[in-house]
Amino acid sequence: MAASRFIERLNEQIGYEFSASQQYIANAVYYDSQTLPRLAAFFYAQAVEERNHAMMMVQYVLDADAEVRIPGVAQPESQFADVVAPVALALEQERRVSDQVAGLMGVAREEGDFLSEQFVQWFLKEQVEEVATMSSLLAVVQRSVDNPMLAEDYLAREHSGGGTADPTAPTAAGGAL
Ligand SMILES: [Fe+2]
Ligand SMILES: [Fe+2]
Protein backbone atom coordinates (compact mmCIF):
# COMPACT_ATOMS: atom_id res chain seq x y z
CA MET A 1 0.00 0.00 0.00
CA ALA A 2 1.46 3.34 -1.05
CA ALA A 3 1.58 5.92 1.76
CA SER A 4 -1.08 8.60 1.34
CA ARG A 5 1.50 11.32 2.03
CA PHE A 6 3.56 9.96 -0.86
CA ILE A 7 0.55 9.88 -3.20
CA GLU A 8 -0.27 13.46 -2.23
CA ARG A 9 3.27 14.57 -3.13
CA LEU A 10 3.29 12.47 -6.31
CA ASN A 11 0.09 14.15 -7.50
CA GLU A 12 1.91 17.49 -7.16
CA GLN A 13 4.85 16.11 -9.10
CA ILE A 14 2.52 15.13 -11.96
CA GLY A 15 1.82 18.86 -12.31
CA TYR A 16 5.54 19.73 -12.33
CA GLU A 17 6.20 17.17 -15.07
CA PHE A 18 3.37 18.52 -17.24
CA SER A 19 4.70 22.06 -16.65
CA ALA A 20 8.15 20.92 -17.73
CA SER A 21 6.60 19.42 -20.85
CA GLN A 22 4.82 22.68 -21.73
CA GLN A 23 8.01 24.66 -21.11
CA TYR A 24 9.92 22.42 -23.50
CA ILE A 25 7.26 22.87 -26.17
CA ALA A 26 7.67 26.64 -25.73
CA ASN A 27 11.47 26.25 -26.04
CA ALA A 28 11.02 24.14 -29.18
CA VAL A 29 8.64 26.63 -30.77
CA TYR A 30 11.11 29.46 -30.09
CA TYR A 31 13.92 27.56 -31.85
CA ASP A 32 11.61 26.65 -34.72
CA SER A 33 10.79 30.35 -35.12
CA GLN A 34 14.54 31.06 -35.27
CA THR A 35 14.98 28.37 -37.96
CA LEU A 36 17.09 26.18 -35.67
CA PRO A 37 15.47 22.80 -36.39
CA ARG A 38 17.84 20.60 -34.38
CA LEU A 39 17.39 22.62 -31.20
CA ALA A 40 13.65 22.60 -31.89
CA ALA A 41 13.60 18.82 -32.41
CA PHE A 42 15.62 18.30 -29.23
CA PHE A 43 13.07 20.19 -27.14
CA TYR A 44 10.03 18.68 -28.87
CA ALA A 45 11.45 15.27 -27.92
CA GLN A 46 12.19 16.42 -24.34
CA ALA A 47 8.59 17.64 -24.07
CA VAL A 48 7.35 14.14 -24.92
CA GLU A 49 9.69 12.65 -22.31
CA GLU A 50 8.34 14.95 -19.61
CA ARG A 51 4.79 14.09 -20.64
CA ASN A 52 5.70 10.43 -20.33
CA HIS A 53 7.15 11.02 -16.84
CA ALA A 54 3.83 12.56 -15.82
CA MET A 55 1.93 9.60 -17.28
CA MET A 56 4.17 7.08 -15.47
CA MET A 57 3.25 8.82 -12.24
CA VAL A 58 -0.42 8.80 -13.24
CA GLN A 59 -0.19 5.03 -13.77
CA TYR A 60 1.42 4.56 -10.36
CA VAL A 61 -1.35 6.49 -8.62
CA LEU A 62 -3.96 4.47 -10.54
CA ASP A 63 -2.22 1.23 -9.55
CA ALA A 64 -2.22 2.39 -5.93
CA ASP A 65 -6.00 2.74 -6.15
CA ALA A 66 -5.72 6.39 -5.19
CA GLU A 67 -7.22 9.50 -6.74
CA VAL A 68 -5.31 11.00 -9.68
CA ARG A 69 -5.58 14.75 -9.98
CA ILE A 70 -4.66 16.07 -13.43
CA PRO A 71 -3.67 19.68 -12.80
CA GLY A 72 -3.76 22.79 -14.95
CA VAL A 73 -0.32 24.23 -15.60
CA ALA A 74 1.08 27.75 -15.44
CA GLN A 75 1.88 29.46 -18.72
CA PRO A 76 5.45 28.65 -19.73
CA GLU A 77 8.08 31.28 -20.50
CA SER A 78 8.08 31.92 -24.25
CA GLN A 79 10.00 35.19 -24.67
CA PHE A 80 13.72 34.60 -24.81
CA ALA A 81 16.58 37.10 -25.03
CA ASP A 82 18.83 34.86 -27.10
CA VAL A 83 19.49 31.24 -28.10
CA VAL A 84 21.13 30.51 -24.73
CA ALA A 85 18.17 31.51 -22.54
CA PRO A 86 15.86 28.52 -23.20
CA VAL A 87 18.64 26.05 -22.39
CA ALA A 88 19.61 27.97 -19.24
CA LEU A 89 15.96 27.84 -18.17
CA ALA A 90 15.82 24.12 -18.98
CA LEU A 91 18.88 23.39 -16.84
CA GLU A 92 17.40 25.36 -13.96
CA GLN A 93 14.16 23.39 -14.36
CA GLU A 94 15.95 20.02 -14.42
CA ARG A 95 17.86 20.93 -11.25
CA ARG A 96 14.63 21.90 -9.53
CA VAL A 97 12.98 18.63 -10.61
CA SER A 98 15.98 16.69 -9.25
CA ASP A 99 15.37 18.29 -5.86
CA GLN A 100 11.66 17.53 -6.09
CA VAL A 101 12.32 13.87 -6.95
CA ALA A 102 14.81 13.62 -4.08
CA GLY A 103 12.05 15.06 -1.86
CA LEU A 104 9.69 12.33 -3.07
CA MET A 105 12.28 9.74 -2.18
CA GLY A 106 12.59 11.30 1.27
CA VAL A 107 8.82 11.03 1.86
CA ALA A 108 8.77 7.38 0.73
CA ARG A 109 11.62 6.64 3.17
CA GLU A 110 10.05 8.46 6.09
CA GLU A 111 6.83 6.55 5.53
CA GLY A 112 8.62 3.20 5.21
CA ASP A 113 6.96 2.89 1.78
CA PHE A 114 9.42 0.58 0.02
CA LEU A 115 7.44 0.15 -3.21
CA SER A 116 7.20 3.89 -3.73
CA GLU A 117 10.88 4.21 -2.95
CA GLN A 118 11.61 1.70 -5.67
CA PHE A 119 9.34 3.55 -8.10
CA VAL A 120 11.13 6.85 -7.49
CA GLN A 121 14.55 5.28 -8.02
CA TRP A 122 14.14 5.31 -11.81
CA PHE A 123 13.34 9.04 -11.80
CA LEU A 124 16.38 9.85 -9.68
CA LYS A 125 18.62 8.11 -12.19
CA GLU A 126 16.81 9.82 -15.06
CA GLN A 127 17.42 13.24 -13.45
CA VAL A 128 21.16 12.62 -13.28
CA GLU A 129 21.14 12.08 -17.06
CA GLU A 130 18.87 15.00 -17.83
CA VAL A 131 20.87 17.48 -15.77
CA ALA A 132 24.08 16.24 -17.41
CA THR A 133 22.61 16.47 -20.93
CA MET A 134 21.25 19.95 -20.31
CA SER A 135 24.46 21.28 -18.79
CA SER A 136 26.48 20.00 -21.76
CA LEU A 137 24.01 21.61 -24.13
CA LEU A 138 24.24 24.87 -22.18
CA ALA A 139 28.03 24.88 -22.57
CA VAL A 140 27.59 24.32 -26.31
CA VAL A 141 24.99 27.04 -26.89
CA GLN A 142 27.04 29.50 -24.83
CA ARG A 143 29.91 28.90 -27.26
CA SER A 144 27.50 29.25 -30.20
CA VAL A 145 25.81 32.60 -29.43
CA ASP A 146 27.33 34.20 -32.52
CA ASN A 147 26.90 31.13 -34.66
CA PRO A 148 24.00 28.92 -33.53
CA MET A 149 24.78 26.52 -36.38
CA LEU A 150 27.56 25.16 -34.15
CA ALA A 151 24.91 24.04 -31.67
CA GLU A 152 22.85 22.63 -34.55
CA ASP A 153 25.85 20.61 -35.75
CA TYR A 154 26.53 19.38 -32.21
CA LEU A 155 22.96 18.11 -31.84
CA ALA A 156 23.08 16.47 -35.28
CA ARG A 157 26.22 14.62 -34.18
CA GLU A 158 25.39 13.78 -30.58
CA HIS A 159 21.61 13.55 -30.39
CA SER A 160 20.33 12.12 -33.65
CA GLY A 161 18.36 8.93 -34.02
CA GLY A 162 16.16 9.55 -30.93
CA GLY A 163 16.91 7.38 -27.87
CA THR A 164 16.07 3.71 -27.61
CA ALA A 165 13.23 2.66 -25.31
CA ASP A 166 14.38 2.05 -21.73
CA PRO A 167 13.04 -1.37 -20.63
CA THR A 168 13.47 -0.43 -16.97
CA ALA A 169 11.17 2.61 -17.29
CA PRO A 170 7.91 2.50 -15.32
CA THR A 171 4.73 1.93 -17.36
CA ALA A 172 3.02 5.10 -18.57
CA ALA A 173 -0.78 5.40 -18.43
CA GLY A 174 -2.13 4.86 -21.95
CA GLY A 175 1.32 3.72 -23.13
CA ALA A 176 4.44 5.86 -23.60
CA LEU A 177 4.49 8.10 -26.67
FE1 LIG B 1 10.73 14.69 -15.87
FE1 LIG C 1 13.42 16.33 -17.31
Side-chain angles (χ1 to χ4, degrees):
M1 212 24 215
S4 56
R5 224 183 113 219
F6 179 83
I7 293 295
E8 186 69 26
R9 220 355 236 100
L10 191 59
N11 263 311
E12 275 172 35
Q13 192 65 36
I14 290 170
Y16 301 144
E17 300 293 333
F18 279 126
S19 295
S21 183
Q22 290 293 89
Q23 184 59 62
Y24 287 164
I25 292 173
N27 288 9
V29 166
Y30 164 79
Y31 287 122
D32 242 347
S33 75
Q34 304 291 310
T35 323
L36 294 165
R38 295 285 181 173
L39 280 155
F42 175 83
F43 279 104
Y44 284 126
Q46 291 297 313
V48 172
E49 279 197 23
E50 299 304 346
R51 177 265 181 205
N52 286 337
H53 294 165
M55 296 305 266
M56 290 167 189
M57 294 172 183
V58 167
Q59 185 63 55
Y60 188 81
V61 179
L62 282 170
D63 288 344
D65 243 334
E67 189 195 347
V68 180
R69 293 194 310 270
I70 302 299
V73 298
Q75 187 166 347
E77 186 59 59
S78 57
Q79 306 279 306
F80 299 105
D82 55 30
V83 295
V84 175
V87 182
L89 183 67
L91 177 58
E92 203 180 288
Q93 176 171 278
E94 290 299 341
R95 288 195 170 131
R96 188 168 60 242
V97 170
S98 295
D99 290 345
Q100 290 161 349
V101 172
L104 269 169
M105 177 62 89
V107 172
R109 272 224 172 149
E110 279 161 33
E111 299 289 324
D113 180 351
F114 302 124
L115 277 177
S116 295
E117 196 174 315
Q118 193 190 42
F119 171 72
V120 173
Q121 208 111 74
W122 183 86
F123 292 92
L124 273 181
K125 184 189 62 134
E126 179 74 3
Q127 281 313 118
V128 173
E129 278 173 35
E130 294 202 344
V131 168
T133 303
M134 223 50 95
S135 71
S136 306
L137 185 58
L138 181 60
V140 171
V141 289
Q142 280 168 339
R143 265 184 261 136
S144 318
V145 207
D146 297 324
N147 181 11
M149 292 314 285
L150 292 174
E152 290 282 286
D153 290 345
Y154 166 83
L155 285 172
R157 271 198 322 275
E158 306 292 329
H159 289 272
S160 56
T164 44
D166 176 353
T168 67
T171 306
L177 291 181

